[in-house]
């Protein structure tokens, strides 16, 4: 297959490498020309464009079997979210209109679920986030699902939890930097997934998911903040982070508390996680940090 990964970054690079290994012809799209060597090293052919500027897309080849959109707004604010996700998606769809791919995978986020009561959340659960950024993602999903309903646009939507893996993971990084705080009694649930499983699930979706499907992409063990930090403190021989009192939800991100379920992913796609929980994934990452001398064993003692 001829595959295009739009926003070929943290998830896109191992995804592209996995597709290359399977014999596919893979292109990766980024804004920065400096990304070209990184892409080439993974066997991915680089393309430069900015999906928020449709005129930069016009010169690119348009015949693709598979398109994956893993563009991220990074740490940007609400305008960056609107541009990268909503306008970026509209621009890509307009660009692909004449020659739609056979499959289009979009990495949305579990941020579309606004639940705050610790309830279990399936793909059919309401998507009414309080956070403005979450509402942008809901709107982006709506645009894609409408295109599927009206024109059979072959989209698969993945609602991805907090990604961790080599060098990444919000809570883990906070813990390592001694900047973590336990909110209240630490009862809020964290939903996570390893980068390599996100890449593996995208491959599975390209190969066998039905168009119009929506999947939660989260590992087997949503965990309370307290238990997560407790495991880290035990494993690394460090103190628990201090309790930081109640945290006010900020208007941008909101503060949700929910247990996101992955049953559909496992039952329909038969996906088997490489890292079923953060314990397996972080054990490998901690080993990597130790072996490369990046873990300060005296910190936090
Ligand atoms: N990180 C998480 O915890 C999390 C949680 C839920 C969902 N997700 C979603 O999962 C997906 C993959 O995340 P990731 O961590 O792999 O993302 P990432 O590496 O932060 O970003 C992907 C790439 O997008 C490119 N990009 C950004 N804006 C672009 C634009 N306007 N046009 C073209 N390329 C652009 C960036 O490269 P250049 O700067 O070179 O363009 C970057 O390398 C994203 O869609 C993200 O929203 C992430």
């Amino acid at each position: 297959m001829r595959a295009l990964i739009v926003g070929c970054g943290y998830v896109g690079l191992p995804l592209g490498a996995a597709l290359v290994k399977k014999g596919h012809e893979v292109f990766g799209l980024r804004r920065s020309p400096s990304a070209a060597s990184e892409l080439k090293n993974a066997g991915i052919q680089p393309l430069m464009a900015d999906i928020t500027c449709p005129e930069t897309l016009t010169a690119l080849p348009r015949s693709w079997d598979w398109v994956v959109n893993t563009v991220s707004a990074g740490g940007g604010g609400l305008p960056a979210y609107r541009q990268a996700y909503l306008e970026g998606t509209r621009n890509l769809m307009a660009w692909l209109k004449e020659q739609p791919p056979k499959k289009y995978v979009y990495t949305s986020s579990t941020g579309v679920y606004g639940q705050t009561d610790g309830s279990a959340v399936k793909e059919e659960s309401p998507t009414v986030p309080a956070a403005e950024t979450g509402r942008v993602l809901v709107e982006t999903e709506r645009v894609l699902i409408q295109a599927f309903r009206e024109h059979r646009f072959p989209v698969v939507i993945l609602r991805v939890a907090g990604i961790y893996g080599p060098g990444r993971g919000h809570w883990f990084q906070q813990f390592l930097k001694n900047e973590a705080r336990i909110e209240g009694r630490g009862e809020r649930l964290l939903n996570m997934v390893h980068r390599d499983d996100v890449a593996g699930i995208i491959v599975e979706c390209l190969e066998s998911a039905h168009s119009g499907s929506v999947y939660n992409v989260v590992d087997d063990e949503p965990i309370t903040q307290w238990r997560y930090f407790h495991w880290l403190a035990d494993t690394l021989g460090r103190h628990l982070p201090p309790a930081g009192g109640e945290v006010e939800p900020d208007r941008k991100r909101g503060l949700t508390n929910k247990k996101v379920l992955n049953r559909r992913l496992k039952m329909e796609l038969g996906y088997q996680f490489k890292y079923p929980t953060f314990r397996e994934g972080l054990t490998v990452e901690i080993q990597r940090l130790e072996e490369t001398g990046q873990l300060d064993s005296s910190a936090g003692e």
Side-chain angles (χ1 to χ4, degrees):
M1 295 287 180
R2 199 171 137 87
L4 172 65
I5 303 167
V6 182
C8 193
Y10 187 65
V11 168
L13 278 161
L15 165 66
L19 292 173
V20 168
K21 204 167 163 195
K22 282 176 160 257
H24 300 294
E25 189 188 7
V26 184
F27 291 73
L29 188 151
R30 295 272 292 266
R31 290 169 304 184
S32 21
S34 59
S37 58
E38 195 179 21
L39 293 165
K40 281 185 195 155
N41 288 342
I44 302 166
Q45 301 179 53
L47 293 174
M48 297 301 139
D50 181 341
I51 64 162
T52 68
C53 305
E55 62 278 11
T56 66
L57 296 169
T58 50
L60 302 180
R62 282 170 207 248
S63 55
W64 305 104
D65 297 306
W66 291 340
V67 174
V68 181
N69 178 7
T70 50
V71 163
S72 161
L78 188 60
Y81 260 64
R82 280 218 180 86
Q83 280 294 307
Y85 298 120
L86 187 54
E87 293 311 319
T89 291
R90 285 188 174 131
N91 293 337
L92 281 176
M93 288 172 69
W95 173 62
L96 293 168
K97 198 170 176 193
E98 301 301 314
Q99 276 180 271
K102 296 187 179 78
K103 196 71 68 71
Y104 181 102
V105 174
Y106 167 65
T107 46
S108 181
S109 162
T110 52
V112 298
Y113 299 117
Q115 285 77 349
T116 57
D117 58 356
S119 55
V121 168
K122 295 190 281 191
E123 288 82 352
E124 302 83 4
S125 299
T127 53
V128 195
E132 291 163 329
T133 48
R135 294 205 287 269
V136 171
L137 298 175
V138 171
E139 178 65 7
T140 306
E141 288 191 1
R142 197 191 58 75
V143 166
L144 288 163
I145 289 295
Q146 191 177 343
F148 167 71
R149 292 199 178 123
E150 290 177 2
H151 321 289
R152 309 315 285 174
F153 185 73
V155 67
V156 175
I157 292 174
L158 302 181
R159 293 179 178 154
V160 181
I163 300 172
Y164 74 97
R168 281 254 202 130
H170 176 73
W171 299 105
F172 183 53
Q173 300 298 329
Q174 295 270 310
F175 183 86
L176 290 183
K177 289 188 275 183
N178 291 321
E179 289 172 6
R181 295 281 175 278
I182 295 179
E183 302 158 6
R185 287 187 290 172
E187 286 167 344
R188 196 160 82 82
L189 288 160
L190 309 179
N191 296 275
M192 290 172 281
V193 63
H194 193 282
R195 175 195 71 170
D196 294 352
D197 279 312
V198 182
I201 289 161
I202 295 174
V203 173
E204 198 70 45
C205 286
L206 289 169
E207 289 175 345
S208 53
H210 291 295
S211 299
S213 305
V214 178
Y215 292 102
N216 290 338
V217 173
V218 57
D219 71 17
D220 286 344
E221 194 180 350
I223 183 96
T224 63
Q225 206 185 51
W226 193 84
R227 290 185 64 197
Y228 175 76
F229 284 134
H230 212 278
W231 183 87
L232 272 179
D234 277 354
T235 304
L236 293 170
R238 295 190 184 186
H239 296 300
L240 265 180
E246 297 299 333
V247 174
E248 285 294 311
D250 69 70
R251 244 163 52 86
K252 185 185 150 208
R253 299 199 180 281
L255 207 54
T256 61
N257 185 20
K258 64 217 175 190
K259 180 178 184 173
V260 183
L261 303 181
N262 63 14
R263 199 167 65 193
R264 179 183 287 179
L265 185 75
K266 291 165 95 174
M267 290 189 68
E268 286 188 10
L269 296 180
Y271 184 76
Q272 298 201 342
F273 278 84
K274 191 169 176 193
Y275 302 105
T277 80
F278 69 92
R279 295 165 218 278
E280 293 83 16
L282 282 184
T283 298
V284 171
E285 175 61 355
I286 289 167
Q287 277 166 0
R288 185 187 75 83
L289 292 172
E290 276 172 347
E291 281 163 19
T292 52
Q294 294 181 69
L295 203 59
D296 177 3
S297 55
S298 64
E301 285 177 357

